[in-house]
Amino acid sequence: DSLDFEWSYWIDWGREHILWLLVGHLLVSQMSRLFLEKYKPWCLMVYGMVACWFLLGIKGLAVIFLHAVTSFAVAQFKMPVLTWICSLALLSTLRIPAVEEAKRKWYDTENEYYLLLFTLSIRCLFYTSFSLEYCWHGSTQKSSHSFLWMLAYVFYYPVFHNGPLMNFDEFSKQMRRQETFSLKTNFGILIMGVIRIFFWWLLAELMIHLMYIHAIYSTSPPLETVSYWALGGLALAQVQFFYVKYLVLYGVPGLLLRMDGLKPPALPCCVSRMHSFTKMWRSIFMKALITRCVCHFTYRYIYIPMGGSQASTLGMLFSSALTFAFVSYWHGGQSYLWYWGTFNWLGLIAENSIRRLFCAPPLQHLT
């Protein structure tokens, strides 16, 4: 069953190039930690740029660099609203037909163009994170929010193409921290991590080859003939595969983050353990996973600044609506994504409304 585009796409790229470039990053990182600890961020930055040039070409590298420069220039005004306008404008350029056609001509295959598209989408979250942190911290931390640190953050290779996301403050603090380095300890972490990821990958491949989840739900006739119980089972199988898939796709960069002395975002919670719609989304927001790491970003940079759960009821509704709107737009802005965002938002409203109703004093006395 090859109908899960995301899994097939990243596995193919991993086998051809990305896995070997990640091995190269690992070697550069470990050598830097052994002999050039003070210059480790800059060694990794240069390696990330070289890897970007190798996969995306000089034009792809130039576009990513131009986006970063533009975002940094706008951040100098220290106005978060301007930073958001700039980031959304840069993101919108990925959907302009004339620009899309021009970028397609840079590459021989459609897969190479999509790699640039996915990379630019993820980089948007990174340079926006840096710029917003720059606006919030002001001039007191100029040395830690320099353009060089922005490039080290944007071109950090393990999370370059598909995430997950670390906000800039977490990245810079952990990258600056100098701690005792043991090659033997790191080797043990690497071996255990590889074994664990290999198990997840094998499980995902077995699900792909034996269950045919995507092939079944890609055509309507089988879905129209089965029972509601079978439909529920298919939906559960799809969600479980999604969970296992991201254990692999985020487990690999997470392992490299640990090898670099950084603390990776926690891997996703199994959705079968979730019984609350609100808890599921809060867990996703806090763990920065499942929707390709964008949710942690929206939680920190949209939901909380707009008031979040501390605001009035209308303020909380507005904050969550903006969060789902950005997630839908960032993923492509197609109509089905807007429907997805709207129904998820309504689901949260319904659950919170019922919870508040049962917390009311009259009903509490009854229970």
Side-chain angles (χ1 to χ4, degrees), residues 25-44:
H25 169 92
L26 179 63
L27 294 175
V28 171
S29 170
Q30 300 310 292
M31 292 301 101
S32 299
R33 295 188 73 183
L34 273 174
F35 305 112
L36 298 166
E37 179 70 24
K38 185 178 179 181
Y39 302 101
K40 180 182 72 172
W42 322 126
C43 294
L44 297 182

Side-chain angles (χ1 to χ4, degrees), residues 69-79 82-84 86 131 135:
V69 169
T70 304
S71 182
F72 183 80
V74 173
Q76 302 309 301
F77 293 100
K78 301 188 188 305
M79 297 175 63
L82 281 182
T83 290
W84 270 115
C86 172
S131 297
C135 293

Side-chain angles (χ1 to χ4, degrees), residues 14 18-19 36 66 82 99 116 120 138-139 142 149 159-160 206 213 216 229 247 266 293 301:
I18 292 178
L19 187 60
L36 298 166
L66 178 62
L82 281 182
V99 177
L116 174 65
L120 283 170
S139 57
K142 279 188 176 180
W149 268 105
V159 297
F160 190 70
L206 286 172
I213 314 159
I216 292 172
W229 281 104
L247 288 178
C293 83
Y301 298 115

Side-chain angles (χ1 to χ4, degrees), residues 15 37 70 72 84 101 139 146 183 198 282 301 349 358 366:
R15 287 170 179 162
E37 179 70 24
T70 304
F72 183 80
W84 270 115
E101 286 304 313
S139 57
S146 64
L183 197 60
F198 179 77
R282 185 177 294 122
Y301 298 115
I349 293 173
F358 278 94
L366 293 176

Side-chain angles (χ1 to χ4, degrees), residues 170-188:
E170 291 175 354
F171 174 83
S172 62
K173 287 175 184 176
Q174 294 180 35
M175 190 63 78
R176 288 169 181 273
R177 185 179 60 217
Q178 295 189 9
E179 53 187 19
T180 305
F181 173 69
S182 170
L183 197 60
K184 183 178 178 180
T185 302
N186 258 21
F187 184 72

Side-chain angles (χ1 to χ4, degrees), residues 47-181:
Y47 181 84
M49 290 180 170
V50 172
C52 176
W53 169 78
F54 176 76
L55 279 188
L56 300 175
I58 191 64
K59 292 180 180 178
L61 174 63
V63 169
I64 295 171
F65 188 83
L66 178 62
H67 281 211
V69 169
T70 304
S71 182
F72 183 80
V74 173
Q76 302 309 301
F77 293 100
K78 301 188 188 305
M79 297 175 63
V81 173
L82 281 182
T83 290
W84 270 115
I85 292 172
C86 172
S87 296
L88 291 174
L90 292 173
L91 188 62
S92 67
T93 62
L94 306 183
R95 289 83 185 262
I96 299 174
V99 177
E100 287 182 334
E101 286 304 313
K103 290 176 182 175
R104 275 189 170 93
K105 293 177 182 177
W106 297 348
Y107 303 106
D108 297 327
T109 65
E110 195 78 354
N111 276 353
E112 291 175 292
Y113 164 72
Y114 280 127
L115 185 64
L116 174 65
L117 185 65
F118 296 150
T119 304
L120 283 170
S121 298
I122 292 290
R123 293 307 94 203
C124 175
L125 303 181
F126 278 74
Y127 59 68
T128 302
S129 172
F130 173 90
S131 297
L132 289 173
E133 299 287 352
Y134 183 92
C135 293
W136 292 344
H137 286 287
S139 57
T140 57
Q141 296 180 333
K142 279 188 176 180
S143 61
S144 61
H145 290 75
S146 64
F147 182 63
L148 201 59
W149 268 105
M150 183 188 199
L151 292 181
Y153 178 55
V154 169
F155 285 98
Y156 182 65
Y157 193 69
V159 297
F160 190 70
H161 298 292
N162 196 39
L165 175 72
M166 291 179 68
N167 70 57
F168 174 73
D169 273 13
E170 291 175 354
F171 174 83
S172 62
K173 287 175 184 176
Q174 294 180 35
M175 190 63 78
R176 288 169 181 273
R177 185 179 60 217
Q178 295 189 9
E179 53 187 19
T180 305
F181 173 69

Side-chain angles (χ1 to χ4, degrees), residues 155-271:
F155 285 98
Y156 182 65
Y157 193 69
V159 297
F160 190 70
H161 298 292
N162 196 39
L165 175 72
M166 291 179 68
N167 70 57
F168 174 73
D169 273 13
E170 291 175 354
F171 174 83
S172 62
K173 287 175 184 176
Q174 294 180 35
M175 190 63 78
R176 288 169 181 273
R177 185 179 60 217
Q178 295 189 9
E179 53 187 19
T180 305
F181 173 69
S182 170
L183 197 60
K184 183 178 178 180
T185 302
N186 258 21
F187 184 72
I189 293 172
L190 177 64
I191 295 300
M192 291 304 298
V194 168
I195 293 172
R196 188 179 294 113
I197 292 167
F198 179 77
F199 172 77
W200 293 331
W201 171 79
L202 184 61
L203 179 59
E205 286 292 329
L206 286 172
M207 294 175 77
I208 282 282
H209 285 287
L210 300 178
M211 299 177 69
Y212 289 88
I213 314 159
H214 307 90
I216 292 172
Y217 79 66
S218 64
T219 54
S220 56
L223 300 178
E224 292 171 355
T225 58
V226 299
S227 67
Y228 289 120
W229 281 104
L231 284 176
L234 286 170
L236 179 60
Q238 165 65 10
V239 172
Q240 293 294 347
F241 176 76
F242 194 77
Y243 163 68
V244 174
K245 173 171 66 175
Y246 271 91
L247 288 178
V248 177
L249 296 183
Y250 282 169
V252 173
L255 176 59
L256 289 175
L257 284 166
R258 292 182 65 195
M259 297 294 291
D260 290 346
L262 308 180
K263 183 181 179 182
L267 290 172
C269 291
C270 181
V271 291

